[in-house]
Amino acid sequence: MPDENYRPLFFHRVLITIDEDDRPSTARAFRFALTMARDYGAELGIASVLESDDISIYESLMPDKVHQKRQELQDVVKDYAAKARDFGVENVRPIVAEGGDVDDVILQQIIPDFQPDLVVCGADVDFASHGHPGAIGLRLARKSDVSVIVIR
């Protein structure tokens, strides 16, 4: 029986987090996740979170505005899913969630539902809108029970 330390490690369910506020970082992470999913034949979950901060108090009082923002995010995630299929990823699942802190929504809702064995996210380096560069990726890596790769 071969030593476990030298067996190849494969990921079967890869989750990519999409941050529309940081397209350059997201684009690099997306390319990495596409390659992993296609080459490993893994299922690819493409997730984004409609943050409470993205909706002003005024907009929150207007259901049409909230619905419009939700629909725009769903369209973005569907577009990423179509690109993944065009790239050759056979099993793609678009995921949109809503809530407060992005990392908490990912950790408490998306990961338990999708059950990935690898989470890929961008490093928030170019247009960090989450406090400081790399904040989401670092928090996910620190708190998650599954492997996390942060792409810079």
Side-chain angles (χ1 to χ4, degrees):
M1 175 179 244
D3 185 351
E4 275 295 313
N5 294 324
Y6 299 102
R7 291 183 126 184
L9 177 63
F10 292 102
F11 298 104
H12 302 284
R13 297 173 71 91
V14 176
L15 177 69
I16 172 72
T17 61
I18 302 298
D19 181 359
E20 272 303 285
D21 296 334
D22 185 14
R23 288 181 185 231
S25 180
T26 292
R28 290 186 292 274
F30 184 63
R31 286 180 17 222
F32 179 82
L34 285 178
T35 304
M36 293 282 294
R38 185 193 62 194
D39 292 355
Y40 287 172
E43 181 176 1
L44 179 64
I46 302 173
S48 193
V49 176
L50 181 60
E51 302 172 64
S52 301
D53 292 345
D54 289 343
I55 301 170
S56 70
I57 293 172
Y58 174 72
E59 289 174 330
S60 70
L61 299 173
M62 300 169 28
D64 288 344
K65 279 287 190 185
V66 175
H67 177 73
Q68 177 186 355
K69 286 195 176 274
R70 185 180 299 124
Q71 187 60 51
E72 288 170 0
L73 187 60
Q74 289 173 345
D75 291 344
V76 166
V77 173
K78 285 179 186 176
D79 185 51
Y80 276 100
K83 289 176 184 175
R85 289 184 189 99
D86 290 345
F87 188 75
V89 180
E90 294 181 16
N91 196 354
V92 180
R93 180 174 161 195
I95 303 165
V96 175
E98 296 180 36
D101 291 332
V102 174
D103 52 326
D104 288 338
V105 173
I106 293 168
L107 290 165
Q108 295 169 8
Q109 294 177 30
I110 296 173
I111 288 176
D113 180 52
F114 185 68
Q115 298 183 346
D117 40 24
L118 176 66
V119 177
V120 177
C121 55
D124 286 338
V125 293
D126 295 315
F127 301 101
S129 63
H130 305 289
H132 51 80
I136 301 290
L138 291 174
R139 289 191 302 253
L140 288 176
R142 192 175 327 120
K143 296 177 181 179
S144 180
D145 292 335
V146 300
S147 295
V148 176
I149 293 179
V150 180
I151 303 296
R152 185 172 298 276

